[in-house]
């Protein structure tokens, strides 16, 4: 169960959301409440990151034959153990690529329309990242019949 949790896209997606909240609140202004919320979101990000790394190390000690690399180039959700799983990863990456062909122009239009809003590019990048994780996860889930 632990490898499935560690390989799910929800942990990186949660880390992305927390860092985006931190950056948006940090850029919002000098209000003490917003700065306090920014600090708490960064603290939550840091705690979750250390927990994730600790669980990966625990998993790697228990399963040395099926290691997860926390700082590797290949994301941990890629499970290319055999040809079937490689095909599932291929289809999911293909769907993410198709998602980006529509999402990048939409993000550019969003940034162009809201150019006076200083956090518009940050929101666009955050939504693009969340969309990527959702498309990938939904495709994996559909192809693995979960």
């Amino acid at each position: 169960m632990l490898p499935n949790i560690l390989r799910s896209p929800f942990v990186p997606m949660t880390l992305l959301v927390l860092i985006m909240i931190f950056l948006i609140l940090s850029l919002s202004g000098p209000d003490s409440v917003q700065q306090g919320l920014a600090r708490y979101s960064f603290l939550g990000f840091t705690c979750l990151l250390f927990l994730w790394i600790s669980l990966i190390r625990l998993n790697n000690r228990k399963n040395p034959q099926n290691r997860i690399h926390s700082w590797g180039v290949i994301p941990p959700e890629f499970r290319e153990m055999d040809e079937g799983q490689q095909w599932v990863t291929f289809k999911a990456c293909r769907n993410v690529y198709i998602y980006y062909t529509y999402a990048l122009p939409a993000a550019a239009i969003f940034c162009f329309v809201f150019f006076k809003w200083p956090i518009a590019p940050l929101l666009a990048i955050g939504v693009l990242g969340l969309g990527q994780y959702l498309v990938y996860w939904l495709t994996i889930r559909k192809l693995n019949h979960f």
Side-chain angles (χ1 to χ4, degrees):
M1 171 119 169
L2 183 61
N4 291 340
I5 293 170
L6 292 175
R7 290 184 189 275
S8 88
F10 289 116
V11 175
M13 193 171 14
T14 305
L15 289 171
L16 177 68
V17 167
L18 286 173
I19 201 70
M20 295 302 295
I21 290 171
F22 166 71
L23 292 172
I24 289 170
L25 289 174
S26 295
L27 294 174
S28 294
D31 187 18
S32 63
V33 173
Q34 289 176 338
Q35 293 301 318
L37 290 173
R39 287 185 186 111
Y40 284 129
S41 66
F42 187 72
L43 178 67
F45 168 78
T46 306
C47 291
L48 185 61
L49 182 66
F50 284 133
L51 177 67
W52 188 45
I53 291 170
S54 299
L55 289 175
I56 286 175
R57 287 184 178 173
L58 175 70
N59 176 65
N60 289 346
R61 270 190 241 128
K62 286 185 176 182
N63 303 316
Q65 71 282 0
N66 192 13
R67 297 177 59 85
I68 298 173
H69 300 286
S70 58
W71 301 109
V73 176
I74 298 174
E77 54 262 22
F78 283 7
R79 292 173 290 200
E80 298 181 336
M81 294 180 243
D82 59 6
E83 291 81 17
Q85 196 62 42
Q86 288 177 353
W87 182 82
V88 170
T89 301
F90 161 74
K91 294 297 276 184
C93 289
R94 181 182 180 277
N95 286 348
V96 169
Y97 183 81
I98 292 169
Y99 158 76
Y100 270 122
T101 60
Y102 295 104
L104 284 175
I109 291 169
F110 175 78
C111 290
F112 180 74
V113 170
F114 296 104
F115 69 94
K116 290 186 178 181
W117 201 28
I119 61 173
L122 198 58
L123 283 175
I125 291 170
V127 170
L128 286 173
L130 289 176
Q132 170 186 330
Y133 280 120
L134 285 173
V135 168
Y136 182 85
W137 179 74
L138 289 173
T139 305
I140 292 288
R141 187 172 180 220
K142 176 182 156 191
L143 293 175
N144 284 332
H145 305 290
F146 285 118

